[in-house]
Amino acid sequence: MIFGGIAGITALIVVIWNSPLMKDYWKGRLLSFINPEAYGQGLGFQLGQSLMGIGSGKILGEGFTKGLQIAGNNVPEAHTDFIFAVVGEEWGLLGALVLLFLYGLLLYKFIKIAKSSKDLFGTIVAVGVISTFLFSIFQNIGMTIGLMPITGITLPLMSYGGSSILSNFMSIGLVLNIGMRRKKINF
């Protein structure tokens, strides 16, 4: 039963990989994620530069706007997808930990609001926002340090982008509104 499921999933992956549904640049991103050293000058260039930037930040960082990788434009899309590389290089491990602490504090407050919600709908909306934020944080930081494949998912409240920041603020507004409600809603 288990081996049949594994064989079915493997066959499905092979079919999708060889079908026109799978674009060439998608395949390249996955291959460069699996073996970044082989694609260091091509598809893996962005990840390699990001890792060098984060590593050069050490404990306290290079200082605001003083990072060589970021100031030298060696990390493509540093203001959007790879903003965590900027934090890591300019503010170091300490700055990255402070950023993670602030995200943890925000998510903790969201969880408190979800638990104290007066109705099920409010809890579900708050948990949805928590999940979205948690996934975005994990995916963005993971892709800048090589744990996840490179995607276009932004780091909430940090990455440059109008629609991203607008949707983040709207999500925060929804959760805060759920926290302000004191009476159960009867539809």
Side-chain angles (χ1 to χ4, degrees), residues 43-80:
L43 296 168
F45 177 76
Q46 194 170 12
L47 175 60
Q49 296 301 314
S50 170
L51 290 173
M52 285 193 338
I54 292 171
S56 68
K58 298 179 186 161
I59 301 292
L60 297 176
E62 300 285 328
F64 185 59
T65 68
K66 292 189 172 111
L68 295 176
Q69 292 297 106
I70 304 303
N73 291 326
N74 292 326
V75 179
E77 305 303 325
H79 61 288
T80 58

Side-chain angles (χ1 to χ4, degrees), residues 4-17:
I6 292 172
I9 290 172
T10 304
L12 183 66
I13 289 171
V14 169
V15 167
I16 291 175
W17 186 268

Side-chain angles (χ1 to χ4, degrees), residues 124-175:
I124 291 171
V125 169
V127 168
V129 171
I130 292 165
S131 302
T132 303
F133 268 68
L134 197 57
F135 175 75
S136 297
I137 293 165
F138 180 74
Q139 172 63 34
N140 186 282
I141 293 174
M143 75 179 188
T144 59
I145 60 175
L147 294 178
M148 300 291 285
I150 296 174
T151 60
I153 295 177
T154 60
L155 189 61
L157 306 173
M158 291 290 293
S159 296
Y160 174 80
S163 59
S164 171
I165 199 76
L166 180 65
S167 63
N168 287 327
F169 280 139
M170 288 171 53
S171 299
I172 291 171
L174 280 171
V175 174

